[in-house]
């Protein structure tokens, strides 16, 4: 009887500690994404920072991050992959997120093809990132391939309802089919998840909300969009799109679901253009890294500004020197 009583006490304490952990986790994730009183919501996209903690050349990326955050004062930061590409990996993640954490800005992450090529596996990287203060990253979605497939609702300025959606998705790393080389693609489970989530959001919100999607590897359709003579792209293309060899249908799912109005990727360091295809903007971020990897563009970030109750957005590039480049008002700049 005494043994059973002790076991019961231990179980009760474990249950209590589990509850405390869940409560604390809830508070850690308690950033509410919300349009400001002026009905604006600003996102900074950093991509391909390629941080190597023991390489002094990574300081250029950290310097740029600090400058952009001070100049833009965003409501959210999103990293679109290839964030830390050298050991020690955990120190690299602490370096790159410190400027964001100290400013108390929430941030989201999607992983790239190089993020798991060092001492930590993709799952281990995901499990570390989710512990960082201020992160909105959700590493595991039951029954869905990859690490980091989730949607972030943005509340209206009144806070009464959702006004926009931000899809974050793992575009995977490399081909998993023998005989097919190159980069990874969205798996069927991910496309099905996106479709179901889109329908769920439509039902819960009573309408199709304007949405953006963030991932690392450009869709196959990026090449077609760049060649769109009716709606010429805006920005720089200094290298061929490094898309997967397989088109698994994510762009089609977005067209059919009708919510995503723009996709934002990285991966190709020498491209920063925004293009137009069938009503959707296909955009690159601006390369954000230092000389720890290749790149012909001055490092910087892409800024995206949403306006409440509008199906569209404004976007521009902010460089390490403080320059504002390639301002675009979507979709009006393409419609005109």
């Amino acid at each position: 009887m005494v043994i059973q009583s002790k076991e019961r006490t231990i179980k009760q304490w474990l249950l209590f500690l589990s509850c405390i952990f869940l409560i604390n986790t809830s508070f850690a994730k308690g950033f509410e994404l919300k349009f400001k009183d002026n009905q604006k919501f600003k996102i900074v996209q950093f991509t391909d920072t390629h941080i190597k903690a023991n390489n002094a050349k990574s300081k250029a990326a950290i310097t740029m991050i600090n400058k952009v955050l001070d100049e833009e004062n965003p409501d959210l930061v999103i990293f679109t992959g290839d964030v830390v590409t050298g050991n020690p990996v955990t120190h690299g993640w602490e370096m790159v997120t410190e400027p964001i954490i100290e400013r108390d800005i929430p941030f989201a992450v999607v992983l790239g093809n190089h993020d798991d090529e060092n001492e930590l596996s993709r799952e281990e990287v995901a499990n570390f990132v989710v512990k960082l203060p201020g992160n909105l990253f959700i590493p595991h979605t039951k029954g869905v391939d990859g690490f980091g497939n989730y949607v972030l609702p943005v509340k209206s300025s009144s806070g009464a309802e959702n006004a926009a959606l931000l899809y974050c998705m793992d575009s995977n790393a490399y081909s998993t089919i023998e005989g097919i080389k190159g980069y990874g693609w969205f798996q069927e489970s991910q496309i099905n998840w996106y479709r179901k989530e889109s329908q769920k959001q439509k039902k819960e919100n009573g309408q199709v909300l304007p949405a953006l999607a963030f991932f690392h590897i450009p869709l196959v359709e990026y090449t077609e969009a760049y060649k769109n003579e009716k709606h010429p792209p805006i920005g720089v293309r200094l290298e061929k799109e490094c898309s997967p060899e397989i088109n698994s249908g994510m762009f089609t799912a977005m067209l059919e679901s009708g919510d995503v109005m723009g996709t934002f990727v990285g991966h190709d360091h020498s491209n920063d253009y925004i293009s137009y295809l069938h009503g959707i903007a296909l955009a690159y971020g601006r390369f954000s890294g230092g000389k720890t990897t290749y790149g012909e563009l001055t490092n910087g970030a892409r800024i995206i500004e949403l306006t409440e109750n509008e199906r569209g957005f404004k976007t521009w590039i902010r460089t390490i020197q403080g320059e504002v480049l390639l301002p675009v008002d979507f979709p009006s700049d393409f419609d005109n």
Side-chain angles (χ1 to χ4, degrees):
M1 294 293 291
V2 174
I3 294 174
Q4 289 179 349
S5 178
K6 287 183 177 179
E7 288 178 345
R8 188 180 301 112
T9 301
I10 291 171
K11 288 180 180 179
Q12 288 172 341
W13 270 106
L14 289 174
L15 179 61
F16 173 77
L17 291 173
S18 296
C19 291
I20 293 297
F21 173 79
L22 289 173
I23 290 170
N24 288 338
T25 301
S26 175
F27 280 123
K29 298 287 187 180
F31 286 95
E32 183 179 60
L33 303 183
K34 181 182 175 183
F35 282 91
K36 292 179 179 177
D37 291 341
N38 64 359
Q39 297 189 312
K40 304 295 183 183
F41 185 85
K42 184 185 288 187
I43 302 165
V44 166
Q45 177 197 4
F46 295 122
T47 195
D48 296 83
T49 51
H50 281 262
I51 296 296
K52 296 180 180 179
N54 292 329
N55 189 327
K57 294 178 180 178
S58 288
K59 291 182 180 178
I62 306 303
T63 298
M64 181 276 302
I65 289 172
N66 277 293
K67 287 186 175 181
V68 168
L69 295 179
D70 286 342
E71 289 165 340
E72 294 291 352
N73 189 26
D75 302 297
L76 175 69
V77 167
I78 299 183
F79 289 98
T80 52
D82 287 0
V83 183
V84 176
T85 56
N87 295 326
V89 171
T90 56
H91 183 37
W93 277 99
E94 289 166 349
M95 280 178 57
V96 78
T97 57
E98 182 180 8
I100 302 160
I101 294 170
E102 69 181 10
R103 289 171 173 81
D104 205 28
I105 302 170
F107 68 94
V109 172
V110 297
L111 298 178
N113 55 293
H114 291 306
D115 282 307
D116 58 352
E117 292 182 341
N118 292 283
E119 60 190 356
L120 299 185
S121 69
R122 203 170 189 81
E123 183 173 13
E124 288 170 334
V125 170
N127 289 338
F128 178 79
V129 172
V130 77
K131 297 174 184 177
L132 292 169
N135 85 87
L136 300 176
F137 181 61
I138 300 176
H140 307 287
T141 302
K142 187 176 180 180
V144 181
D145 288 288
F147 296 93
N149 301 285
Y150 53 104
V151 59
L152 301 175
V154 182
K155 292 285 187 181
S156 65
S157 53
S158 69
E161 65 279 315
N162 293 338
L165 301 173
L166 307 174
Y167 290 100
C168 298
M169 296 182 280
D170 185 356
S171 55
N172 299 300
Y174 300 98
S175 169
T176 54
I177 297 178
E178 187 176 352
I180 298 178
K181 298 181 180 181
Y183 296 102
W185 51 84
F186 287 112
Q187 299 294 310
E188 182 179 4
S189 65
Q190 294 175 284
I191 298 171
N192 290 339
W193 167 81
Y194 161 70
R195 287 183 182 275
K196 290 177 183 177
E197 190 62 41
S198 179
Q199 287 300 312
K200 173 187 172 185
Q201 293 292 336
K202 179 181 178 180
K203 183 177 180 180
E204 290 181 353
N205 297 297
Q207 59 179 318
V208 176
L209 296 179
L212 303 176
F214 297 85
F215 43 94
H216 181 67
I217 299 174
L219 299 169
V220 173
E221 284 83 2
Y222 268 66
T223 300
E224 180 182 353
Y226 185 81
K227 298 176 181 178
N228 187 346
E229 295 182 359
K230 185 176 180 181
H231 302 285
I234 300 170
V236 175
R237 179 186 186 262
L238 298 179
E239 64 176 309
K240 180 182 177 182
E241 296 81 6
C242 294
S243 303
E245 294 294 322
I246 299 295
N247 188 342
S248 57
M250 180 60 85
F251 187 73
T252 300
M254 290 175 178
L255 286 175
E256 292 175 344
S257 297
D259 55 352
V260 172
M261 53 185 179
T263 66
F264 297 85
V265 303
H267 192 51
D268 302 332
H269 304 179
S270 299
N271 296 340
D272 70 358
Y273 68 78
I274 176 171
S275 57
Y276 181 97
L277 187 65
H278 305 310
I280 296 179
L282 300 181
Y284 280 96
R286 169 59 78 101
F287 169 68
S288 302
K291 294 299 183 181
T292 60
T293 182
Y294 84 95
E296 300 174 68
L297 302 176
T298 302
N299 71 334
R302 178 171 287 283
I303 319 301
I304 306 138
E305 186 179 71
L306 296 170
T307 300
E308 189 176 351
N309 298 321
E310 288 187 12
R311 186 171 175 80
F313 56 86
K314 292 183 179 179
T315 184
W316 58 93
I317 302 295
R318 172 79 71 169
T319 71
I320 190 172
Q321 286 100 2
E323 299 171 293
V324 174
L325 307 176
L326 302 170
V328 175
D329 191 339
F330 183 87
S332 62
D333 282 354
F334 289 93
D335 290 342
N336 295 331

